[in-house]
Every structure is written in structure tokens, then in C-alpha cells.
């Protein structure tokens, strides 16, 4: 959900449709937070059964359930954090999410020490510290998005460079992209223009290239929509 939203936001930003990008960020944040709330309910219902499926020993079952129930309370903020950090990276700001992650790690370590060593909260203390650290990270990203006056300028990426960028946004390592790039280019049918700036691509070519990257993810489920709008029957058939 969050990775897909960041791709759309990056495309709108690159097209200089800033008002649409702001709306997309707001919608993505709302959906991410609400989805996190849904995960709280799912977790409350399934945590005991999931631990049984994982064959958790009986002697740590109670503590594991407590830890996960507290952890799942932070799901809305985790979802929001993923969306916001992906958004910042998609417009060229990878520094801020990295700094905020370091800050949240320090907060987590300090609170672990306070809650476990001082307050003797044990497992609950560890879980609460993790949730608070995630909330802090999410709050910092939210503040950055709401108050920044920086003018982000994206480079004129070629098709090849766009593959690496989209791959990174979708969670692929550079090594994975290196191994799959020739296959991605062939699948996209854009080899002739792969080193041309994507701003000169037609909408069909851009969608083909973007889908080709997503098609090479190692995922069990893929939801497709806009690729079916490509006016190329042969490519649509290949995608399906």
C-alpha cells in the first residue's frame, strides 16, 4: 500500500502536478492510518492463533501475546511512517527519513532501559518502548511533510535510472535490480529508448516501464489496475 502510493506521488511530483501530489499524500496518509487501525483488530483476533501456528512454547505464550497486542497498537503509526518515509524518498529526500530512524532507535534504546531496568515492566516495557519510538519517527516525518519549505527538484531520470529508482521504492536492492534489469527492459519493450529521459516517454511507455519493474518483484500477490489502460493489446496479454 505505502510503496504503491509513493510511486504515484513521485509520478505526480515529477509531472509538476504539485496540488495533485499534495492530495495524493493526504489520501495515502488517511488510508495508511485507517489500514493500521484495521490491523489492530485483526491482531487482537488472530495473535493467539498465530502463535499456536508458530508452535510457541507454552512457557512464553502469555508474554508473547502481551508483547504482540501492545505492538499491534502501534500499527497505524507504522503504516503512516512507511508511507511518509517512502514519500520523502520518492521526491529525493532520503536524508530526513534516515536521521529520523536514528533518532527513533535512540529513543527506543533509552526507553527500553527506563521501562525494563527502572520500572521493571519487562516484556510490556519493551513493547511500549518500541511503539513510542515508532510514534516519534512518524511524528517527525509528519512534521517534515507539513512544514518543509524546501523546493525538491528531481533529476531528469532516464528509463534505466527510473528502473533503479522504482525498484528501490518497491523494496528491491541494487543487486536485485542489477540481476533483473535486462529482463525488465525486455519485458517493458522500451529498450530502444531506455537511456532517454522518461519525461519524453508517452504515458503508455511509462506505464509499461513501471509495471515491468513491479512484475519482477518476488511477491505472492500482485494487484493490477492502470496497466490494463495501456492501449497495447499484446502487452496487456503478456501482463495477464
Amino acid at each position: 500500500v505505502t510503496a504503491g502510493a509513493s510511486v504515484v506521488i513521485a509520478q505526480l511530483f515529477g509531472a509538476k502536478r504539485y496540488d495533485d501530489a499534495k492530495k495524493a499524500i493526504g489520501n495515502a496518509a488517511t488510508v495508511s492510518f485507517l489500514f493500521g487501525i484495521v490491523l489492530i483488530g485483526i491482531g487482537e483476533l488472530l495473535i493467539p492463533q498465530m502463535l499456536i501456528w508458530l508452535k510457541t512454547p507454552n512457557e512464553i505464550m502469555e508474554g508473547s501475546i502481551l508483547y504482540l497486542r501492545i505492538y499491534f497498537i502501534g500499527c497505524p503509526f507504522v503504516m503512516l511512517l512507511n508511507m511518509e518515509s517512502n514519500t520523502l524518498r520518492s521526491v529525493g529526500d532520503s536524508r530526513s527519513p534516515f536521521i529520523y530512524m536514528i533518532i527513533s532507535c535512540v529513543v527506543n534504546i533509552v526507553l527500553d532501559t527506563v521501562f525494563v531496568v527502572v520500572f521493571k515492566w519487562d516484556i510490556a516495557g519493551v513493547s511500549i518502548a518500541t511503539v513510542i519510538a515508532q510514534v516519534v519517527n512518524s511524528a517527525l516525518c509528519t512534521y517534515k511533510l507539513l512544514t518543509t519549505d524546501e523546493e525538491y527538484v528531481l533529476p531528469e531520470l532516464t528509463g534505466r535510472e527510473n528502473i533503479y529508482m522504482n525498484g528501490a521504492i518497491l523494496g528491491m536492492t541494487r543487486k536485485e535490480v542489477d540481476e533483473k534489469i535486462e529482463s525488465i527492459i525486455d519485458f517493458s519493450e522500451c529498450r530502444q529508448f531506455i537511456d532517454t529521459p522518461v519525461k519524453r516517454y508517452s504515458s503508455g511507455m511509462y506505464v509499461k516501464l513501471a509495471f515491468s519493474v513491479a512484475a519482477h518483484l518476488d511477491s505472492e500477490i500482485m494487484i493490477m489496475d492502470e496497466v490494463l489502460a495501456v492501449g497495447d493489446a499484446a502487452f496487456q496479454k503478456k501482463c495477464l
Side-chain angles (χ1 to χ4, degrees):
V1 174
T2 57
S6 64
V7 172
V8 173
I9 292 166
Q11 291 175 345
L12 292 172
F13 187 85
K16 301 187 185 304
R17 295 165 56 186
Y18 300 123
D19 289 339
D20 290 337
K22 290 179 181 179
K23 291 178 182 177
I25 292 172
N27 291 338
T30 302
V31 171
S32 297
F33 195 83
L34 292 176
F35 188 69
I37 293 175
V38 172
L39 287 178
I40 294 176
I42 294 174
E44 185 66 26
L45 291 174
L46 296 183
I47 284 172
Q49 186 58 52
M50 286 191 296
L51 290 173
I52 291 173
W53 289 336
L54 292 172
K55 298 181 179 180
T56 304
N58 290 331
E59 56 267 24
I60 64 170
M61 178 66 77
E62 184 178 349
S64 299
I65 292 174
L66 175 62
Y67 178 90
L68 289 176
R69 279 180 170 161
I70 296 174
Y71 182 84
F72 266 75
I73 292 174
C75 280
F77 297 98
V78 173
M79 294 296 297
L80 187 60
L81 167 62
N82 287 336
M83 188 284 299
E84 292 170 331
S85 59
N86 282 336
T87 296
L88 288 170
R89 292 188 189 99
S90 71
V91 297
D93 183 4
S94 59
R95 180 171 174 269
S96 294
F98 180 69
I99 293 174
Y100 300 154
M101 181 182 67
I102 293 175
I103 294 173
S104 68
C105 287
V106 173
V107 170
N108 199 348
I109 293 170
V110 172
L111 291 181
D112 276 339
T113 304
V114 173
F115 292 161
V116 176
V117 177
V118 179
F119 294 161
K120 308 296 183 183
W121 289 355
D122 298 327
I123 293 174
V126 174
S127 189
I128 292 171
T130 301
V131 171
I132 292 176
Q134 291 167 342
V135 171
V136 169
N137 199 341
S138 177
L140 290 171
C141 286
T142 300
Y143 180 79
K144 177 69 174 180
L145 287 171
L146 292 176
T147 62
T148 185
D149 56 359
E150 296 179 21
E151 183 178 350
Y152 292 114
V153 179
L154 294 179
E156 294 185 359
L157 299 180
T158 64
R160 188 183 304 276
E161 292 167 335
N162 193 269
I163 290 173
Y164 282 96
M165 183 187 73
N166 279 345
I169 291 173
L170 294 174
M172 298 171 68
T173 65
R174 186 174 183 87
K175 182 179 179 181
E176 287 179 295
V177 179
D178 286 338
E179 293 172 350
K180 300 176 180 180
I181 190 166
E182 292 302 318
S183 178
I184 292 172
I185 294 172
D186 288 338
F187 191 93
S188 71
E189 302 175 355
C190 296
R191 180 172 291 277
Q192 183 179 354
F193 307 100
I194 199 61
D195 293 310
T196 299
V198 291
K199 72 176 186 178
R200 295 189 173 89
Y201 281 23
S202 67
S203 58
M205 291 170 64
Y206 195 85
V207 172
K208 282 183 179 182
L209 186 65
F211 179 80
S212 297
V213 177
H216 284 76
L217 285 172
D218 294 326
S219 56
E220 296 181 1
I221 299 174
M222 181 177 296
I223 300 175
M224 299 182 296
D225 51 4
E226 62 185 32
V227 70
L228 301 179
V230 178
D232 184 333
F235 189 78
Q236 289 183 26
K237 184 176 180 180
K238 180 166 62 174
C239 293
L240 297 173

